[in-house]
């Protein structure tokens, strides 16, 4: 159920950008347009939410980003006091959390608890793409 819901949400995010007031709630969907990505953490990413404070309440309890890891690249090893989940949508990589490595692939969902050093490496020809959601407790 979680994977089906996740795939549905990702499909919506990829397709269009809208910001609409519906029944007292704002709805915003953001495109995965490559022109809107920047380089951070040694990879290409796009921060999503909170994305537009005029549309989304800036006090929402989470943030998210699309991340693209090119061939032979990896995210800079880092740690933070946030909970984080990776939804791998394309490709395969090697995830390292506090020195423990695991191969991850499209369809995998990974939870990373706060203050764990982590990095993900792409050793394949194709791009490794994932959605990350992170939040405070």
């Amino acid at each position: 159920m979680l994977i089906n819901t996740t795939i549905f949400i990702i499909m919506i995010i990829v397709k269009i950008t809208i910001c609409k007031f519906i029944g007292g709630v704002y709805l915003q969907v953001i495109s995965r347009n490559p022109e809107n990505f920047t380089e951070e953490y040694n990879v290409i990413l796009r921060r999503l939410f909170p994305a537009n404070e005029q549309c989304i309440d800036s006090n929402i309890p989470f943030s998210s980003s699309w991340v693209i890891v090119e061939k032979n690249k990896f995210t800079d090893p880092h740690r933070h006091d946030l909970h984080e989940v990776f939804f791998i949508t394309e490709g395969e990589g090697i995830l390292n959390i506090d020195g423990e490595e695991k191969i991850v692939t499209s369809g995998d969902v990974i939870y990373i608890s706060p203050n764990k050093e982590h990095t993900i490496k792409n050793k394949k020809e194709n791009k490794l793409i994932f959605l990350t959601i992170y939040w405070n407790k």
Side-chain angles (χ1 to χ4, degrees):
M1 179 67 174
L2 175 63
I3 290 180
N4 288 341
T5 303
T6 302
I7 290 170
F8 176 73
I9 291 168
I10 291 169
M11 286 170 43
I12 291 172
I13 291 173
V14 169
K15 289 187 177 180
I16 57 173
T17 300
I18 60 171
C19 183
K20 192 171 186 178
F21 192 69
I22 300 175
V25 177
Y26 280 105
L27 169 67
Q28 184 175 16
V29 181
I30 299 174
S31 170
R32 197 174 78 180
N33 182 343
E35 295 172 6
N36 298 318
F37 282 69
T38 60
E39 189 168 329
E40 294 182 51
Y41 294 98
N42 194 43
V43 293
I44 302 166
L45 67 80
R46 171 145 193 228
R47 294 183 185 276
L48 300 172
F49 299 110
N52 178 348
E53 291 183 15
Q54 295 173 343
C55 182
I56 295 289
D57 180 353
S58 62
N59 294 315
I60 62 172
F62 68 91
S63 295
S64 60
S65 299
W66 276 114
V67 181
I68 300 173
V69 186
E70 300 284 352
K71 177 185 173 189
N72 294 323
K73 292 274 194 168
F74 56 89
T75 59
D76 288 335
H78 63 284
R79 68 177 68 229
H80 40 69
D81 60 355
L82 303 170
H83 297 264
E84 188 165 22
V85 173
F86 292 173
F87 298 90
I88 310 297
T89 61
E90 294 180 39
E92 182 179 303
I94 301 171
L95 178 69
N96 184 310
I97 300 176
D98 275 351
E100 186 177 325
E101 289 191 344
K102 173 137 179 66
I103 294 175
V104 294
T105 189
S106 180
D108 288 350
V109 178
I110 301 103
Y111 169 74
I112 303 167
S113 57
N115 300 309
K116 299 288 184 182
E117 184 174 83
H118 54 282
T119 183
I120 190 165
K121 184 184 316 181
N122 181 7
K123 287 198 149 188
K124 298 289 183 177
E125 293 292 320
N126 297 329
K127 294 176 183 175
L128 169 64
I129 301 176
F130 63 95
L131 177 69
T132 178
I133 299 175
Y134 39 99
W135 66 96
N136 284 321
K137 194 167 190 178

